[in-house]
Amino acid sequence: MRRPEPLYRAVIVFARMLFFANGYRFTLTGRQHVPKRGGAVMAINHTGYIDFVFAGLGARKSNRWVRFMAKKSIWQHPVAGFFMRGLKHIPVDRHAGAGALAAATEQLRAGEIVGVYPEATMSRSFEIKELKSGTARMARDAGVPILPTIIWGAQRIWTKDVPKRLGRTGTRIAVSVGEPIHVGPEDDIAEVTERLREVMKEMLDEVIAAYPEPHGDELRFHPARLGGTAPTYEEAYERDRSDMTRKKDQFTRKTA
């Protein structure tokens, strides 16, 4: 019997009130792919700071709660940390990630759905970046499927390099959950990771094709490959590399 989650339920009720107040309009597809019981890794593309708020909606039809992996620093905030602990999310130390992978795998074996960003960092180009292998590794070690999941529209609310728009925007949010990718004990992790990326790229194109065509300022939230004015994949990579170098230097100075 599934345990009651009063805090999680209260958070969802509050979030839905905010969604209504902000006029968000949702398109939810593929929710039947979320298992009603047993573990699964929900692999989510990462285009905005609040992707995870919408990704959990994909699991509600199956009455499931998603435990998200997120950077450890959030747990240090007095308010956010309270909720992260209460909702049983999983802290990730980017300088020592093995512990987070072990904790997530344990949750999966216990029958939980764990939400991850296999791209690791946000995609400035809004394309699917190269994926880290942790998603496939957790799924294989825990003996659970991967649920490729696409969120589209969240970047219009709050993303990198663009002022956030948290007021009443009427933004359309698409959430699509793909067919489970099953990982066997003998499957090659690199091959599974590349297969997941190809599936997510195909799903992203399908979701964008069904989304209202952008015009004017909205083009900055649309991939350059499809006529938008977002950074190209290569431009985004260079910006990411610059960010990583800066953060690495800051970490080195801090720990020196």
Side-chain angles (χ1 to χ4, degrees), residues 89-110:
H89 296 322
I90 304 166
V92 178
D93 184 342
R94 290 180 177 174
H95 301 287
L101 287 176
T105 302
E106 184 178 346
Q107 292 258 35
L108 292 167
R109 287 172 176 156

Side-chain angles (χ1 to χ4, degrees), residues 175-253:
V175 181
S176 179
V177 183
E179 294 184 6
I181 296 175
H182 296 279
V183 187
E186 304 301 324
D187 284 346
D188 182 81
I189 293 299
E191 291 180 1
V192 173
T193 300
E194 185 56 33
R195 176 153 51 104
L196 172 61
R197 182 170 187 248
E198 290 303 314
V199 168
M200 293 181 72
K201 287 168 65 176
E202 291 176 8
M203 290 177 61
L204 178 63
D205 283 351
E206 291 172 0
V207 169
I208 292 176
Y211 197 86
E213 185 175 351
H215 299 280
D217 288 344
E218 294 296 311
L219 287 169
R220 63 184 174 178
F221 303 113
H222 204 67
R225 170 177 60 89
L226 299 175
T229 58
T232 64
Y233 190 91
E234 293 74 22
E235 290 169 343
Y237 175 82
E238 289 303 320
R239 293 189 193 180
D240 289 345
R241 189 171 67 168
S242 176
D243 280 355
M244 289 177 65
T245 300
R246 174 176 52 82
K247 290 178 181 179
K248 184 178 179 179
D249 290 343
Q250 290 174 345
F251 178 77
T252 301
R253 289 195 298 269

